[in-house]
Amino acid sequence: SYGEVNKFASDKITCGITSIAFSKSGRLLFAGYDDFNTYAWDTLADSSQCAFSLPQPHENRVSCLGVNGNGDALCTGSWDTNLKIWA
């Protein structure tokens, strides 16, 4: 059976989560949000502090994201009709 092993949340983030993906190593958990931002959570650190947010948010909610097979790039998609690649 499965049980909850951790929970990642911040009082500063009050909107919904739209998408998630783990980094290739599993260390980072990327999450896209309704507030147009993508945050990265360090799965080995304090779960109440996001590790970082991507520097230029979208102009509308993040609707999807994914990590490439090599693990060296992240793509975020948004309702603003843009795909952004972060590397």
Side-chain angles (χ1 to χ4, degrees):
S1 76
Y2 293 96
E4 182 179 298
V5 294
N6 207 340
K7 182 169 107 177
F8 299 92
S10 171
D11 292 338
K12 296 178 183 178
I13 302 172
T14 59
C15 62
I17 300 165
T18 60
S19 49
I20 61 164
F22 280 98
S23 64
K24 185 175 179 178
S25 69
R27 172 94 189 244
L28 294 176
L29 174 59
F30 299 104
Y33 289 82
D34 281 334
D35 68 357
F36 316 164
N37 286 296
T38 300
Y39 297 97
W41 301 87
D42 185 339
T43 61
L44 301 179
D46 179 4
S47 60
S48 66
Q49 298 290 326
C50 68
F52 61 89
S53 63
L54 296 180
Q56 299 162 351
H58 280 276
E59 295 177 13
N60 206 321
R61 71 178 50 168
V62 176
S63 57
C64 58
L65 54 83
V67 177
N68 75 330
N70 292 334
D72 56 5
L74 171 73
C75 183
T76 57
S78 169
W79 283 26
D80 64 11
T81 71
N82 291 306
L83 293 169
K84 293 185 177 187
I85 298 175
W86 309 87

